[in-house]
Amino acid sequence: MMARAAGLRWRSTHPIHPPVRQGSSIAQRVQRRYARAALHVELRVRRLARRLRRRLAWGRTYRLTSYLRSALWTVPLVAIGLVLLLVPPLRWVDDWLHWDWSALAPAGAEALFQTVITLTLSFLVFTFGSLLVAIQVASGQLTPRIIATILLRNDVVRYSVGLFVFTLVFAVMALNRHDATVSQLVAFLTAILGIACIADFLFLIDYAARLLRPVSVVAHVGNAAVDVIDGMYPEPTNEDGADTAPAASFAPARVVTHAGAAGIVLAVDLASLVTLAQRHAGLVEFLPRIGDFLAEDTPLFALHGPAAASEDRLLRQTVAVGVERTLEQDPMFALRILVDIALKALSPAINDPTTAVLALDQVHRVMRLLGRRDLRRDVIRDATGTPRVVFRAPDWEDYVTVACREIRACGGNSLQVVRRMRAMLIDLHASVPPLRRALIARELQLLDATIDAAMPLPDDRRLAHRADVQGLGGAPPPGTASRP
């Protein structure tokens, strides 16, 4: 009994626990360490993502993307990287399969590599020399604004230069590793690339000659304008032509100014602005228009209501500012390029009214499309229909003024120009909705007054008052008269 009582006392002071499994304890500790390491890595990744978002803001990303699209060196640089990646596997495949397609001797292979190197170097020198001449001629005869929008962004020129650089580096690497044993696959591919470069060079000469013609340049700008209009103004206008009512201006709670280098507004990230305004349940007003110049401390945003709590840095990141206008969100810039081409053609130094008529053809095309679209995007709403962003765009009067006034003032004494402009205005008067016809009728009156003031001879005035789609030598559009 005494031993049993002693045993009970010992158990009460020393409670019995289940045996501990050593393996289970180690697994738990390892699991906790992995969990802490994963959490640490996740926090690091989030911090890095935040830093990248701050550094690679939407505006900077847009400018970088726009620059890379117009940079000539990007495709050749990628071509060099592809050569460095492809040549070693090709040699391994050739050694493994023992292909004997070309049956070239070492002397013949060396001659092939040197010939291809000489060809590609000559093609590169000629291409860049021709490109410099083309830039000078195009900027002098047409307008400097087509350099970045057409010549440097042309994919045919960029990929042709990329092919030349790829072939040059490929042949140089093949010649560098050439020895008594000829790599037949590499030699065969070098020959194929050399033939491709010759064909591409001949095509490039013909393509460049066609590209620099005025009709090709204005057609390219017109196509770009149509694409921009479809993206910026997707909705058709209503039956009478009334645009969406513009936003009413009222006193903001706070104004955010531009910070950084001066430049031109290229584009705006409207989706991010709507998200910011919705987050604070307020209204954000973007004060300038696309294409406006921003100096230091220029007012950029007007914040209304609770949106005044928005962070300035996040707001500024939604705006892309650069040194030259682009076409991505700027239909007015496309119209500006066409008008500039017409004005340069009408200058006394060039005196080429036929080129001005070609530019008016594309102006007519762009204005006819704009006349049937809802041009007002002032108020942008969220998914619930609440106004979140005020973003002002050019209206119908702005486009009509740019399309007509300067060309009429500079070409009022040219029979081709005034007859082609009359044909354009008559067609627009018949095709646009009723509320937009008053401005077209006003431009017709101004055109009549300009003709009467510029042409003293009655026969010239009589001829100038007739509409002609070709300028001279054609006929008025079917079913139209000289006056609406």
Side-chain angles (χ1 to χ4, degrees):
M1 293 293 293
M2 293 177 62
R4 186 176 181 183
L8 291 175
R9 288 196 299 270
W10 184 87
R11 290 180 182 179
S12 62
T13 56
H14 299 82
I16 299 175
H17 295 283
V20 178
R21 296 180 180 178
Q22 189 69 18
S24 176
S25 177
I26 294 176
Q28 291 176 357
R29 288 199 298 268
V30 171
Q31 184 178 4
R32 285 195 296 268
R33 288 180 182 178
Y34 274 115
R36 286 195 296 268
L39 180 60
H40 181 71
V41 171
E42 183 180 359
L43 292 176
R44 290 264 184 171
V45 170
R46 289 181 179 179
R47 291 174 186 173
L48 180 61
R50 285 196 297 268
R51 291 179 181 177
L52 288 176
R53 282 195 296 268
R54 290 179 181 179
R55 294 181 179 272
L56 297 179
W58 183 88
R60 293 181 180 178
T61 305
Y62 180 90
R63 290 197 303 270
L64 178 62
T65 305
S66 180
Y67 169 74
L68 292 178
R69 280 199 297 263
S70 62
L72 193 61
W73 57 267
T74 53
V75 176
L77 184 64
V78 174
I80 295 175
L82 288 177
V83 173
L84 298 177
L85 292 175
L86 290 177
V87 168
L90 283 176
R91 289 187 173 276
W92 180 81
V93 170
D94 190 26
D95 295 338
W96 179 49
L97 296 177
H98 299 288
W99 285 338
D100 191 14
W101 293 352
S102 58
L104 282 176
E110 183 177 356
L112 172 65
F113 298 149
Q114 291 178 350
T115 301
V116 172
I117 292 172
T118 304
L119 282 176
T120 51
L121 279 175
S122 302
F123 293 161
L124 283 172
V125 171
F126 185 86
T127 301
F128 282 110
S130 302
L131 184 60
L132 291 176
V133 173
I135 289 174
Q136 294 176 354
V137 173
S139 61
Q141 298 292 325
L142 299 173
T143 174
R145 276 155 288 282
I146 68 171
I147 296 175
T149 56
I150 295 180
L151 296 180
L152 296 182
R153 293 196 177 198
N154 190 275
D155 289 335
V156 173
V157 177
R158 299 173 70 197
Y159 287 108
S160 296
V161 174
L163 176 61
F164 298 154
V165 172
F166 181 92
T167 305
L168 173 62
V169 178
F170 189 90
V172 169
M173 293 185 66
L175 181 61
N176 181 50
R177 298 188 178 185
H178 179 63
D179 52 16
T181 302
V182 179
S183 179
Q184 299 294 336
L185 178 59
V186 173
F188 177 77
L189 291 178
T190 303
I192 295 298
L193 288 172
I195 296 173
C197 286
I198 295 174
D200 183 67
F201 179 71
L202 296 176
F203 170 77
L204 183 62
I205 294 175
D206 178 75
Y207 179 82
R210 297 174 183 273
L211 175 67
L212 294 177
R213 294 181 303 171
V215 63
S216 300
V217 172
V218 296
H220 185 94
V221 178
N223 294 334
V226 170
D227 293 339
V228 176
I229 292 170
D230 289 338
M232 292 295 296
Y233 307 119
E235 298 297 329
T237 186
N238 49 37
E239 294 182 358
D240 58 0
D243 294 320
T244 306
S249 298
F250 51 94
R254 190 167 68 89
V255 175
V256 178
T257 60
H258 173 62
I264 297 172
V265 179
L266 304 181
V268 180
D269 187 5
L270 297 176
S272 296
L273 281 180
V274 171
T275 302
L276 287 173
Q278 191 175 15
R279 183 185 305 168
H280 296 281
L283 179 67
V284 176
E285 181 179 2
F286 183 67
L287 297 177
R289 286 183 178 182
I290 300 295
D292 286 357
F293 179 79
L294 295 179
E296 292 78 1
D297 297 331
T298 300
L300 194 61
F301 293 99
L303 306 180
H304 302 274
S310 301
E311 189 176 350
D312 294 358
R313 177 182 58 84
L314 297 178
L315 291 169
R316 294 189 182 107
Q317 287 179 356
T318 62
V319 183
V321 180
V323 296
E324 187 177 10
R325 294 170 72 175
T326 59
L327 294 173
E328 280 77 4
Q329 289 189 8
D330 196 355
M332 183 65 81
F333 183 49
L335 189 61
R336 178 76 266 169
I337 293 175
L338 294 172
V339 172
D340 286 349
I341 292 174
L343 296 178
K344 182 63 73 69
L346 293 172
S347 64
I350 297 178
N351 193 20
D352 185 10
T354 303
T355 297
V357 170
L358 294 176
L360 275 172
D361 292 341
Q362 297 299 324
V363 172
H364 184 185
R365 174 191 178 189
V366 172
M367 293 299 294
R368 187 180 177 90
L369 181 62
L370 286 169
R372 300 176 178 179
R373 297 296 176 91
D374 184 1
L375 303 180
R376 282 290 185 183
R377 294 189 61 194
D378 278 2
V379 179
I380 301 177
R381 305 174 184 274
D382 59 13
T384 63
T386 305
R388 294 301 181 191
V389 175
V390 176
F391 177 78
R392 291 181 174 82
D395 57 13
W396 177 242
E397 183 177 2
D398 296 328
Y399 286 112
V400 171
T401 301
V402 172
C404 298
R405 294 297 175 94
E406 292 177 296
I407 297 179
R408 175 179 54 79
C410 294
N413 58 351
S414 172
L415 288 173
Q416 289 191 63
V417 173
V418 295
R419 285 162 63 94
R420 180 62 184 93
M421 180 170 285
R422 181 177 297 277
M424 177 185 74
L425 293 174
I426 291 174
D427 179 71
L428 290 177
H429 191 277
S431 61
V432 301
L435 285 183
R436 293 182 175 176
R437 294 175 183 172
L439 291 173
I440 304 300
R442 176 60 179 165
E443 291 298 327
L444 279 167
Q445 295 174 359
L446 293 174
L447 181 61
D448 291 337
T450 301
I451 293 172
D452 295 338
M455 299 182 180
L457 298 180
D459 290 343
D460 290 342
R461 289 198 300 269
R462 190 179 306 110
L463 188 63
H465 281 294
R466 296 176 183 174
D468 191 341
V469 177
Q470 296 184 18
L472 275 177
T480 63
S482 295
R483 300 172 188 268

